[in-house]
Amino acid sequence: MAIGFDFGTANCSVARIVDEQVRVIPLSENDVYLPSTLSAPNAETVSEYLFKCLNIKPANTIGESVLRRAIKINHEEGLNVRHDDVHFGQSALDLYLDDPKYVYYVQSPKSFLGTQGLRDVQLSYFEDLICAMMANVKQQVEKQLDNAVSDVVIGRPVNFHGRGGEKSNIQAEGILRSAARRVGFKNIEFQFEPVAAGFEYESTLTADKTVLVVDIGGGTSDCSLINMGPSWQGKANRTDSLLSHSGLSVGGNDLDIAIAFKKFMSEFGLGTEQLSGLPVPISQFWNCVAINDVIAQRDFYTLENLKQLLDLTKNAKQPEKIRRLSYLHKGTLGHSVVREAELAKIALGKQEQYVSSLNLLEDTVELNLLKEQMADAISEPVRKITRMIKEAEQQGQTKPDVVYMTGGSARSPILRAAIKSVLPNTEIVSGSYFGSVTAGLSRWADVCFK
């Protein structure tokens, strides 16, 4: 049995083809979208959970070392790892929001893939995170279908991480492939996410067209320029129809982070001065909200940095603001702040203003945001996305007949207007913002594994 698996930055979803129709498979009660989140008592729980509760062995000797260390730490802390210690999706988010200080929480581990400069031990740990989430999805799918699933097409962005180039892509796909094998998938294929979304749009066409697929997801944005239509449907070799691809590691998360940094951090002291007249270091305000940058997050949440924050508070001209950074650090609240920025982004896509409320446990901050302020905050990510679209068109040396937009952030009126400015005379259409990639992956799985 073959499935298409969208292991997304924001959500995971799975579908298969039944009688030539796409059937999306519920992953949590009746919900077909499972947030890409995980929570546990501590970081070490994940590796021991895989081995002890799911009987999933480490991939190599480095993984074995990570497992031994995890078991040792958990034993020293008196933690007897059980199956219900690891939570996924909305359950994981609810636990984190209820008690962020004492819950280990990971959001969007896919956004870490491709990061360069990490040690092998760190990469092995990331693979365990991916493995745990994939195992949960596979279990839910097989429970729904009452059948084992061995064949899978997994979606991937054109580029996982901008700084590492193809080296990052090889590392990221390798981690995904290894994790998929460990959870029991036997035949594994990958497909670019915008190409998969294009396959879903192609199923609706009655005439051949050249289509620019723009997929703006949670962690990446991708374009594929594709010849598609009845002449191409169902063909296993699509090489001649794929005209160009472009992609960058900018997506919905980056828009949320930009809003949090530019519009929220002034209430934490961004732009203020120390008593010496020197500005408070910008890195403190960026690192705390850069939830898709593992190095920035590591630097912010060290004990040494907490000491620096306390010193900055003592020597600040506006200590009441800088003190909020310490609250954020102590409560591990970076994800909460960015989550509120995401809610503001969604609301301001439909209305002119929105009041954000930041609960810092020891303080509450309210901010009134206007739509034009959000547009200003996300102007740089939007500029990068428009440049990516121009690049795909130039590489393909062909004007598209239509632009097909997909991905959660493709709903943004600001992004749609930006794309219209690049291709003013081209029709822009959209299908399922969240489901087209999954549907297209299932269509490609049906072709691949016939």
Side-chain angles (χ1 to χ4, degrees), residues 267-269 272-276 278-281 284-285 300 305-330:
E267 297 299 321
F268 291 77
T272 63
E273 295 181 342
Q274 302 175 59
L275 295 175
S276 64
L278 293 173
V280 177
Q284 293 289 4
F285 306 100
F300 182 78
N305 192 50
L306 178 58
K307 295 177 181 177
Q308 292 181 24
L309 293 174
L310 295 174
D311 287 340
L312 283 172
T313 303
K314 293 176 183 178
N315 296 295
K317 289 184 178 180
Q318 298 185 50
E320 71 283 357
K321 288 189 173 183
I322 304 299
R323 189 173 292 112
R324 289 170 179 159
L325 284 175
S326 300
Y327 297 160
L328 194 152
H329 184 292
K330 293 175 182 177

Side-chain angles (χ1 to χ4, degrees), residues 66-356:
V66 170
L67 174 60
R68 285 194 298 270
R69 179 179 179 275
I71 292 173
K72 180 176 182 293
I73 290 175
N74 288 332
H75 177 72
E76 291 173 349
E77 293 184 359
L79 179 60
N80 181 26
V81 176
R82 301 175 303 182
H83 196 281
D84 59 358
D85 281 332
V86 180
H87 294 258
F88 304 91
Q90 189 62 44
S91 173
L93 177 59
D94 290 342
L95 279 174
Y96 166 72
L97 294 176
D98 184 57
D99 196 359
K101 187 174 181 180
Y102 294 103
V103 173
Y104 173 72
Y105 177 74
V106 178
Q107 176 181 324
S108 309
K110 182 182 176 183
S111 62
F112 301 151
L113 295 175
T115 301
Q116 297 297 294
L118 299 179
R119 303 190 308 274
D120 288 343
V121 169
Q122 292 172 302
L123 294 176
S124 179
Y125 173 67
F126 286 149
E127 183 179 311
D128 280 353
L129 285 174
I130 302 294
C131 193
M133 296 178 73
M134 279 191 174
N136 176 64
V137 169
K138 189 170 186 288
Q139 286 177 348
Q140 297 304 317
V141 169
E142 292 178 340
K143 180 180 178 181
Q144 290 287 336
L145 301 180
D146 194 26
N147 206 337
V149 177
S150 59
D151 304 335
V152 63
V153 174
I154 301 172
R156 55 151 289 184
V158 173
N159 290 307
F160 282 89
H161 209 282
R163 298 174 190 169
E166 192 56 26
K167 188 176 180 180
S168 287
N169 292 333
I170 292 170
Q171 178 229 82
E173 188 173 300
I175 289 174
L176 288 171
R177 187 181 297 277
S178 179
R181 283 175 177 158
R182 289 173 65 193
V183 304
F185 289 116
K186 292 182 173 58
N187 301 303
I188 304 160
E189 297 289 339
F190 289 90
Q191 182 57 268
F192 287 153
E193 289 159 356
V195 174
F199 291 155
E200 174 61 10
Y201 178 57
E202 184 178 60
S203 70
T204 69
L205 295 179
T206 57
D208 288 353
K209 291 185 178 183
T210 300
V211 180
L212 180 65
V213 182
V214 181
D215 177 19
I216 306 175
T220 57
S221 294
D222 300 283
C223 289
S224 288
L225 189 63
I226 312 172
N227 286 329
M228 60 174 65
S231 299
W232 295 98
Q233 288 175 10
K235 289 188 175 182
N237 186 348
R238 295 296 299 255
T239 303
D240 291 341
S241 71
L242 305 176
L243 304 181
S244 69
H245 308 286
S246 62
L248 69 161
S249 54
V250 172
N253 281 353
D254 298 273
L255 304 181
D256 304 335
I257 290 167
I259 294 169
F261 177 69
K262 291 193 174 183
K263 298 306 172 185
F264 289 2
M265 285 298 106
S266 59
E267 297 299 321
F268 291 77
L270 178 61
T272 63
E273 295 181 342
Q274 302 175 59
L275 295 175
S276 64
L278 293 173
V280 177
I282 289 179
S283 61
Q284 293 289 4
F285 306 100
W286 175 254
N287 289 349
C288 66
V289 295
I291 60 171
N292 58 359
D293 186 332
V294 63
I295 296 174
Q297 290 283 278
R298 182 190 64 194
D299 290 347
F300 182 78
Y301 285 110
T302 62
L303 181 59
E304 181 59 33
N305 192 50
L306 178 58
K307 295 177 181 177
Q308 292 181 24
L309 293 174
L310 295 174
D311 287 340
L312 283 172
T313 303
K314 293 176 183 178
N315 296 295
K317 289 184 178 180
Q318 298 185 50
E320 71 283 357
K321 288 189 173 183
I322 304 299
R323 189 173 292 112
R324 289 170 179 159
L325 284 175
S326 300
Y327 297 160
L328 194 152
H329 184 292
K330 293 175 182 177
T332 322
L333 296 171
H335 284 283
S336 295
V337 172
V338 176
R339 169 63 176 163
E340 186 58 35
E342 179 188 16
L343 295 176
K345 178 189 70 177
I346 294 170
L348 292 172
K350 304 174 184 177
Q351 59 199 55
E352 293 301 316
Q353 63 180 20
Y354 176 79
V355 178
S356 292

Side-chain angles (χ1 to χ4, degrees), residues 15-82:
R16 68 180 183 125
I17 299 297
V18 179
D19 297 329
E20 299 185 356
Q21 298 296 316
V22 175
R23 295 288 184 264
V24 186
I25 302 168
L27 297 179
S28 176
E29 296 180 356
N30 295 319
D31 198 342
V32 297
Y33 299 112
L34 182 72
S36 300
T37 57
L38 175 152
S39 71
N42 61 20
E44 288 72 29
T45 299
V46 178
S47 299
E48 185 173 356
Y49 162 82
L50 286 172
F51 182 74
K52 180 179 178 180
C53 302
L54 302 185
N55 196 31
I56 295 176
K57 297 178 181 179
N60 48 40
T61 56
I62 296 170
E64 291 171 357
S65 175
V66 170
L67 174 60
R68 285 194 298 270
R69 179 179 179 275
I71 292 173
K72 180 176 182 293
I73 290 175
N74 288 332
H75 177 72
E76 291 173 349
E77 293 184 359
L79 179 60
N80 181 26
V81 176
R82 301 175 303 182

